[in-house]
PDB file of all heavy atoms in Angstrom:
ATOM      1  N   LEU A 326     -19.702  -4.255  29.386  1.00  0.00           N
ATOM      2  CA  LEU A 326     -20.441  -3.540  30.401  1.00  0.00           C
ATOM      3  C   LEU A 326     -20.863  -2.185  29.903  1.00  0.00           C
ATOM      4  O   LEU A 326     -21.954  -1.772  30.136  1.00  0.00           O
ATOM      5  CB  LEU A 326     -19.537  -3.354  31.628  1.00  0.00           C
ATOM      6  CG  LEU A 326     -18.968  -4.628  32.264  1.00  0.00           C
ATOM      7  CD1 LEU A 326     -18.210  -4.359  33.549  1.00  0.00           C
ATOM      8  CD2 LEU A 326     -20.072  -5.625  32.601  1.00  0.00           C
ATOM      9  N   GLU A 327     -20.033  -1.558  29.128  1.00  0.00           N
ATOM     10  CA  GLU A 327     -20.313  -0.244  28.458  1.00  0.00           C
ATOM     11  C   GLU A 327     -21.560  -0.439  27.517  1.00  0.00           C
ATOM     12  O   GLU A 327     -22.393   0.392  27.392  1.00  0.00           O
ATOM     13  CB  GLU A 327     -19.156   0.331  27.765  1.00  0.00           C
ATOM     14  CG  GLU A 327     -18.078   0.838  28.725  1.00  0.00           C
ATOM     15  CD  GLU A 327     -16.663   0.987  28.000  1.00  0.00           C
ATOM     16  OE1 GLU A 327     -16.644   0.857  26.858  1.00  0.00           O
ATOM     17  OE2 GLU A 327     -15.765   1.232  28.790  1.00  0.00           O
ATOM     18  N   ALA A 328     -21.467  -1.584  26.812  1.00  0.00           N
ATOM     19  CA  ALA A 328     -22.548  -1.896  25.873  1.00  0.00           C
ATOM     20  C   ALA A 328     -23.870  -2.059  26.620  1.00  0.00           C
ATOM     21  O   ALA A 328     -24.943  -1.596  26.236  1.00  0.00           O
ATOM     22  CB  ALA A 328     -22.202  -3.128  25.040  1.00  0.00           C
ATOM     23  N   ALA A 329     -23.773  -2.766  27.739  1.00  0.00           N
ATOM     24  CA  ALA A 329     -24.968  -2.999  28.607  1.00  0.00           C
ATOM     25  C   ALA A 329     -25.584  -1.587  29.013  1.00  0.00           C
ATOM     26  O   ALA A 329     -26.798  -1.393  29.007  1.00  0.00           O
ATOM     27  CB  ALA A 329     -24.635  -3.821  29.829  1.00  0.00           C
ATOM     28  N   MET A 330     -24.676  -0.686  29.355  1.00  0.00           N
ATOM     29  CA  MET A 330     -25.027   0.663  29.773  1.00  0.00           C
ATOM     30  C   MET A 330     -25.775   1.360  28.657  1.00  0.00           C
ATOM     31  O   MET A 330     -26.845   1.971  28.800  1.00  0.00           O
ATOM     32  CB  MET A 330     -23.832   1.470  30.171  1.00  0.00           C
ATOM     33  CG  MET A 330     -24.137   2.661  30.975  1.00  0.00           C
ATOM     34  SD  MET A 330     -24.165   2.310  32.628  1.00  0.00           S
ATOM     35  CE  MET A 330     -22.447   2.028  33.044  1.00  0.00           C
ATOM     36  N   SER A 331     -25.170   1.254  27.449  1.00  0.00           N
ATOM     37  CA  SER A 331     -25.754   1.878  26.265  1.00  0.00           C
ATOM     38  C   SER A 331     -27.133   1.329  26.006  1.00  0.00           C
ATOM     39  O   SER A 331     -28.043   2.075  25.631  1.00  0.00           O
ATOM     40  CB  SER A 331     -24.859   1.738  25.028  1.00  0.00           C
ATOM     41  OG  SER A 331     -23.565   2.314  25.256  1.00  0.00           O
ATOM     42  N   LEU A 332     -27.232   0.036  26.070  1.00  0.00           N
ATOM     43  CA  LEU A 332     -28.540  -0.627  25.776  1.00  0.00           C
ATOM     44  C   LEU A 332     -29.602  -0.123  26.729  1.00  0.00           C
ATOM     45  O   LEU A 332     -30.775   0.197  26.406  1.00  0.00           O
ATOM     46  CB  LEU A 332     -28.412  -2.154  25.880  1.00  0.00           C
ATOM     47  CG  LEU A 332     -27.562  -2.797  24.710  1.00  0.00           C
ATOM     48  CD1 LEU A 332     -27.335  -4.252  25.039  1.00  0.00           C
ATOM     49  CD2 LEU A 332     -28.273  -2.608  23.363  1.00  0.00           C
ATOM     50  N   HIS A 333     -29.186  -0.071  27.950  1.00  0.00           N
ATOM     51  CA  HIS A 333     -30.110   0.414  29.010  1.00  0.00           C
ATOM     52  C   HIS A 333     -30.558   1.862  28.665  1.00  0.00           C
ATOM     53  O   HIS A 333     -31.719   2.188  28.821  1.00  0.00           O
ATOM     54  CB  HIS A 333     -29.444   0.407  30.368  1.00  0.00           C
ATOM     55  CG  HIS A 333     -30.196   0.971  31.498  1.00  0.00           C
ATOM     56  ND1 HIS A 333     -31.259   0.274  32.057  1.00  0.00           N
ATOM     57  CD2 HIS A 333     -30.150   2.220  32.096  1.00  0.00           C
ATOM     58  CE1 HIS A 333     -31.808   1.065  33.025  1.00  0.00           C
ATOM     59  NE2 HIS A 333     -31.160   2.193  33.020  1.00  0.00           N
ATOM     60  N   GLU A 334     -29.612   2.673  28.290  1.00  0.00           N
ATOM     61  CA  GLU A 334     -29.938   4.044  28.010  1.00  0.00           C
ATOM     62  C   GLU A 334     -30.951   4.224  26.798  1.00  0.00           C
ATOM     63  O   GLU A 334     -31.765   5.151  26.790  1.00  0.00           O
ATOM     64  CB  GLU A 334     -28.670   4.815  27.652  1.00  0.00           C
ATOM     65  CG  GLU A 334     -27.839   5.181  28.884  1.00  0.00           C
ATOM     66  CD  GLU A 334     -26.429   5.700  28.523  1.00  0.00           C
ATOM     67  OE1 GLU A 334     -26.159   5.907  27.321  1.00  0.00           O
ATOM     68  OE2 GLU A 334     -25.579   5.813  29.427  1.00  0.00           O
ATOM     69  N   ILE A 335     -30.910   3.299  25.915  1.00  0.00           N
ATOM     70  CA  ILE A 335     -31.854   3.445  24.723  1.00  0.00           C
ATOM     71  C   ILE A 335     -33.128   2.662  24.994  1.00  0.00           C
ATOM     72  O   ILE A 335     -33.971   2.467  24.082  1.00  0.00           O
ATOM     73  CB  ILE A 335     -31.177   3.050  23.424  1.00  0.00           C
ATOM     74  CG1 ILE A 335     -30.745   1.571  23.502  1.00  0.00           C
ATOM     75  CG2 ILE A 335     -30.056   3.925  23.057  1.00  0.00           C
ATOM     76  CD1 ILE A 335     -30.305   1.039  22.161  1.00  0.00           C
TER      77      ILE A 335
END
Side-chain angles (χ1 to χ4, degrees):
Chain A
L326 304 184
E327 288 161 9
M330 196 87 74
S331 297
L332 290 170
H333 175 78
E334 282 169 9
I335 61 169

